[in-house]
Amino acid sequence: MEASGKFIVFEGIDGAGKTTQVELLAQNLRSLGREVSLGAEPTTLESGRAIRRALSGAEKKSECQMAAMFVLDRIAHNIDSEIGIRALTEKGIDVISDRYYYSSLAYQGAATDYGWVKQMNIGSPEIRRPDLCIYLDLLPEQSLERISRGRESVEIYENLEKLTSVRNTFLSVIEDLRGEGESIYVVDANRPPEQIAEEIFAIVKKHI
Ligand code: TMP
């Protein structure tokens, strides 16, 4: 029987360099002859597009509505017959996701009720736990500087106070889920991308 692919998640506050590291890890895994599929949340599915509209401020939603919308999108990301994590890993393909439920626990957990958000995510039979999570750690000041350099529009979650509180929440989410046996690594993201990628590849190789 074909071995199942691994499901690896990248997390971090905005501007931590997740997109770059997702790409570099995919290249490194492919160099080992593995098949890799890249995903992100919010997804490109209808449930993800609705989230984008809400994040841009075009369609106002409450924090609880946002929490539920992210769960809906995450379930779709798991079970979609084409881009779904389940279908791909069953075919032996590694899936790397730019964000997953750690973001919901940090952002919506802080904005609504942590226990409720955690239960909706971790407790869902259609939301699987990743094999590995890499948290790219950046100080909020460094994050904001990168964001303002690279982009014109600043989404609603991107201000210093919020980034500080989200980073602190992320660190406690990591502690919480490590306590449940999850493999989560905190990687210093304030370094050259190649150096970060090398450290991440070494970690990932231990898990494949
Ligand atoms: P990004 O494409 O830059 O990662 O933006 C997605 C935004 O959505 C980012 O500000 C974090 C936020 N988000 C949540 O609040 N909860 C979630 O569960 C996810 C996946 C993202």
Side-chain angles (χ1 to χ4, degrees), residues 75-177:
I75 292 174
H77 191 195
N78 271 266
I79 67 171
D80 184 83
S81 58
E82 279 164 31
I83 68 152
I85 297 157
R86 185 191 289 171
L88 292 166
T89 53
E90 277 175 5
K91 281 191 217 151
I93 301 169
D94 294 326
V95 176
I96 308 178
S97 182
D98 184 337
R99 296 193 187 277
Y100 197 56
Y101 56 51
Y102 311 89
S103 282
S104 280
L105 270 60
Y107 290 85
Q108 284 69 50
T112 67
D113 178 272
Y114 182 79
W116 174 64
V117 175
K118 183 178 174 185
Q119 175 54 23
M120 275 200 298
N121 280 276
I122 310 283
S124 167
E126 290 182 336
I127 296 180
R128 67 167 279 182
R129 285 197 197 250
D131 294 299
L132 182 64
C133 171
I134 305 287
Y135 179 76
L136 294 173
D137 192 31
L138 202 61
L139 293 173
E141 294 78 8
Q142 297 163 342
S143 159
L144 212 57
E145 198 201 307
R146 289 192 191 185
I147 292 166
S148 55
R149 246 191 280 139
R151 283 192 238 158
E152 281 170 26
S153 70
V154 175
E155 290 181 332
I156 55 172
Y157 289 110
E158 295 169 358
N159 63 62
L160 195 59
E161 198 187 334
K162 203 127 196 176
L163 288 168
T164 305
S165 115
V166 171
R167 176 174 182 264
N168 290 338
T169 317
F170 258 125
L171 297 177
S172 60
V173 168
I174 289 168
E175 208 170 307
D176 183 15
L177 296 184

